[in-house]
Amino acid sequence: WDFLILFFCLPVVIFNEITKKRLLGDISCRIVPFMEVSSLGVTTFSLCALGIDRFHAATSPQASTRPIEQCQSIIAKLAVIWVGSMTLSVPEILLWQLAQDTSPVSGGVTEYCTMKPSSNLPESIYSLVLTYQNARMWWYFGCYFCLPILFTVSCQLVTRRIRSTEKKSECRGTKHGQCEGHLNCTIIALTIIYGLCTTPENVCNIVVAYMSPDMSKQTLDLLSLINQFFLFFKCSVTPVLLLCLCRPLGQAFMDCCCCCCEGCGPDTTSSESSADSKLKTEMSSSIFFDKPRETPPPLLALGTPC
């Protein structure tokens, strides 16, 4: 979703700032806020899911007896996160519309997006959209700012509390504990980046809600542009941070890129190197994601046991 934000929303915003014309017209005025709010929802619920996963890892009796989550279960969770975030962002499509104004400096017609529901909506939907507009500021602050931060902090405190009372055992070895601590640091880093990038938007929303009559349109446009800049910054930093901190994911990504660049030739050397890298990735990921360590790894296609 971060890639979609950078691929679609960023060019639209840059084009609008340069030409003062809205690319794709009224469609972009509705789709861009929808995608931006959906991005906040995806990040929020993903951080909550990661916090729950780390809590389960800390409360499991033994890392070796913890069941491996099936791919269907992971896909179902991702579908719930994405569909839920997009569903909660549907009011943004009905809230925004394209407006035109004459510039006092150049005298030309400028296009901008305004937060005003269309009067052509049915009365019931129109009242719901107005209710959402009135509660939008506190909904942003409570769901997309307080929820992920408080959820992550609570899960981390409970996890540290549980681990501090546990005695050292074989299943909680040094290497396994380091990997779990590394995962917790990754989640904390993602939460810090998200909190820093969403704080200006929430502050601006509160300021605009109580001081908008005293602020000029240029000031409001500048604040909106700053908020979008922080959102684009978050979308740019988050994947890089995740690939750098999550070693198995970063290694798998680099192996995939190298495989695509080299063409995946059928020669023996490349097949052996890819098999070795696959084995290393599987071994590291088995520790990283709390897979059973007592079970020997499966036989590869080399014909000899690992």
Side-chain angles (χ1 to χ4, degrees):
W1 199 271
D2 291 335
F3 172 77
L4 293 178
I5 292 292
L6 297 176
F7 181 79
F8 180 78
C9 298
L10 181 59
V12 172
V13 173
I14 293 177
F15 182 85
N16 181 53
E17 291 299 320
I18 294 177
T19 63
K20 300 303 178 181
K21 298 291 182 180
R22 199 69 187 183
L23 189 64
L24 300 179
D26 188 67
I27 297 178
S28 65
C29 281
R30 301 177 186 272
I31 297 299
V32 170
F34 168 77
M35 295 184 64
E36 291 177 349
V37 176
S38 297
S39 174
L40 298 178
V42 169
T43 307
T44 295
F45 300 135
S46 296
L47 290 175
C48 293
L50 291 174
I52 294 175
D53 181 76
R54 290 295 89 207
F55 176 77
H56 286 168
T59 55
S60 59
Q62 290 182 353
S64 58
T65 61
R66 189 187 180 200
I68 302 175
E69 190 170 8
Q70 299 296 326
C71 182
Q72 293 81 356
S73 175
I74 298 177
I75 293 177
K77 291 181 180 179
L78 292 177
V80 170
I81 291 174
W82 279 47
V83 175
S85 302
M86 296 172 67
T87 302
L88 293 176
S89 304
V90 168
E92 296 289 331
I93 300 179
L94 306 175
L95 184 61
W96 295 86
Q97 61 178 334
L98 183 66
Q100 295 181 348
D101 191 13
T102 303
S103 176
V105 180
S106 60
V109 178
T110 59
E111 297 179 346
Y112 62 96
C113 297
T114 179
M115 190 185 299
K116 182 180 179 182
S118 176
S119 58
N120 297 328
L121 294 174
E123 185 175 356
S124 58
I125 299 179
Y126 183 79
S127 61
L128 290 177
V129 175
L130 283 180
T131 303
Y132 173 80
Q133 181 180 2
N134 295 330
R136 186 174 183 268
M137 177 188 66
W138 297 113
W139 169 254
Y140 255 67
F141 181 74
C143 182
Y144 298 137
F145 181 76
C146 295
L147 178 63
I149 294 178
L150 294 179
F151 205 93
T152 303
V153 172
S154 301
C155 289
Q156 292 296 322
L157 291 178
V158 173
T159 301
R160 291 180 180 274
R161 177 72 175 180
I162 294 175
R163 287 178 179 171
S164 62
T165 58
E166 288 181 346
K167 295 181 180 180
K168 295 183 179 180
S169 58
E170 295 181 358
C171 63
R172 297 286 181 182
T174 304
K175 191 172 183 179
H176 185 78
Q178 290 178 354
C179 292
E180 288 190 347
H182 195 70
L183 267 179
N184 291 331
C185 292
T186 302
I187 298 175
I188 293 175
L190 293 176
T191 305
I192 291 175
I193 292 296
Y194 178 76
L196 292 178
C197 293
T198 54
T199 297
E201 182 174 5
N202 288 277
V203 173
C204 291
N205 289 337
I206 296 176
V207 171
V208 170
Y210 292 100
M211 300 180 59
S212 57
D214 302 331
M215 302 175 67
S216 62
K217 183 179 178 301
Q218 290 76 12
T219 304
L220 297 176
D221 293 341
L222 179 61
L223 293 177
S224 177
L225 185 62
I226 293 175
N227 296 335
Q228 289 181 324
F229 167 77
F230 277 101
L231 178 62
F232 297 146
F233 178 76
K234 178 195 75 71
C235 294
S236 303
V237 171
T238 300
V240 177
L241 183 67
L242 189 60
L243 290 176
C244 293
L245 295 181
C246 187
R247 296 173 184 175
L249 181 61
Q251 183 63 38
F253 181 78
M254 294 303 298
D255 292 342
C256 181
C257 293
C258 295
C259 181
C260 294
C261 293
E262 295 176 1
C264 296
D267 56 307
T268 308
T269 305
S270 60
S271 61
E272 291 180 355
S273 60
S274 62
D276 293 339
S277 62
K278 180 181 179 182
L279 175 59
K280 293 179 181 178
T281 305
E282 288 181 353
M283 293 177 62
S284 60
S285 61
S286 65
I287 301 173
F288 211 75
F289 294 104
D290 304 319
K291 291 184 179 180
R293 299 179 61 184
E294 287 77 10
T295 305
L299 300 182
L300 298 179
L302 299 178
T304 58
C306 301

